[in-house]
Amino acid sequence: MKLVVGLAGASGSIYAARFLRALSEVEGETYITASPAALRIFSEEYETKVESAEDILSFVETKWETKPKHKFHVRNFFDIGSDIASGSNRWDAMVVVPCSMKTVASMSQGLTENLIERAADVSLKERRRLIVVPRETPYNRIHLKNLLALDEAGAIILPASPGFYQMPKTLDDLGDFIAGRIFNLLGIDQTLYPKWVG
């Protein structure tokens, strides 16, 4: 599977980190980009210093001692001329995790001022799966209208609202729940949390 992953500037770096950790363990290829706000928030929430998407990938690999099977290609957030800015290049799906309300607003209105917004626009116009993981609470009417517009355009909205039936013991367990839900939507088998058996 070939993916595009964007990290936008919302709280919830744990969701991106645990998704990338899990993704690193499956065969495939991902183009990744992170906004300056995402880098700042990741640094604050993990009490570390990251200045690029490469730094985030290195942090994830070191913290959880992953041995990546997955191939990651980092792309500059400001490069709207990047390969993933064009529908002539193919990928199976795009995930924006976490997703800020600013990015939701831009994507819902077709604005393409950075690489996350442009790749999302390409995903929608080419009818590729776009999974958006918003992290905000509460939602105001503008947020809800923008999320609905994205849904109507074909995106899948997966709020960062972890369940608790899997009896989480750590914050990582909550991150893994959302990562597992993303995997389900991508059609990737996951063992990040137990399936509900009733």
Side-chain angles (χ1 to χ4, degrees):
M1 176 165 283
K2 183 182 282 190
L3 303 176
V4 172
V5 172
L7 282 65
S11 180
S13 301
I14 188 171
Y15 299 117
R18 296 303 287 181
F19 174 64
L20 292 171
R21 184 206 63 80
L23 191 60
S24 73
E25 296 179 351
V26 300
E27 300 284 344
E29 186 175 13
T30 290
Y31 297 85
I32 183 172
T33 187
S35 73
L39 299 174
R40 175 177 176 171
I41 293 167
F42 195 100
S43 295
E44 291 175 358
E45 292 184 344
Y46 274 108
E47 298 180 319
T48 187
K49 180 71 172 167
V50 296
E51 296 180 343
S52 66
E54 289 105 329
D55 290 347
I56 289 175
L57 291 169
S58 177
F59 174 87
V60 168
E61 184 175 345
T62 301
K63 181 171 177 61
W64 291 292
E65 299 178 347
T66 61
K67 303 227 183 312
K69 297 179 187 174
H70 204 81
K71 187 167 186 178
F72 290 98
H73 310 280
V74 174
R75 295 296 182 261
N76 187 312
F77 174 77
F78 297 104
D79 184 8
I80 58 168
S82 171
D83 48 2
I84 59 171
S86 173
S88 62
N89 291 297
R90 294 200 49 80
W91 55 88
D92 298 301
M94 179 174 180
V95 180
V96 185
V97 56
C99 189
S100 67
M101 287 300 114
K102 186 275 180 197
T103 302
V104 165
S106 295
M107 292 187 301
S108 72
Q109 301 304 310
L111 302 178
T112 58
E113 295 180 339
N114 59 58
L115 190 54
I116 291 176
E117 295 167 3
R118 177 58 190 162
D121 190 68
V122 170
S123 295
L124 291 174
K125 80 182 183 70
E126 300 292 334
R127 305 298 191 264
R128 299 175 192 163
R129 185 161 292 192
L130 172 62
I131 301 168
V132 177
V133 184
R135 217 304 310 159
E136 185 60 85
T137 191
Y139 294 135
N140 65 35
R141 186 177 180 85
I142 295 168
H143 299 156
L144 292 168
K145 288 174 76 172
N146 288 336
L147 288 166
L148 179 59
L150 266 181
D151 176 82
E152 289 171 342
I156 298 171
I157 310 301
L158 193 166
S161 304
F164 290 86
Y165 60 82
Q166 79 279 22
M167 299 303 194
K169 303 292 188 293
T170 67
L171 291 177
D172 286 346
D173 291 342
L174 298 177
D176 284 348
F177 181 86
I178 297 299
R181 295 307 298 255
I182 297 170
F183 269 38
N184 288 342
L185 290 172
L186 292 172
I188 301 173
D189 289 336
Q190 65 87 19
T191 57
L192 299 170
Y193 67 90
K195 296 176 178 65
W196 177 253
V197 293

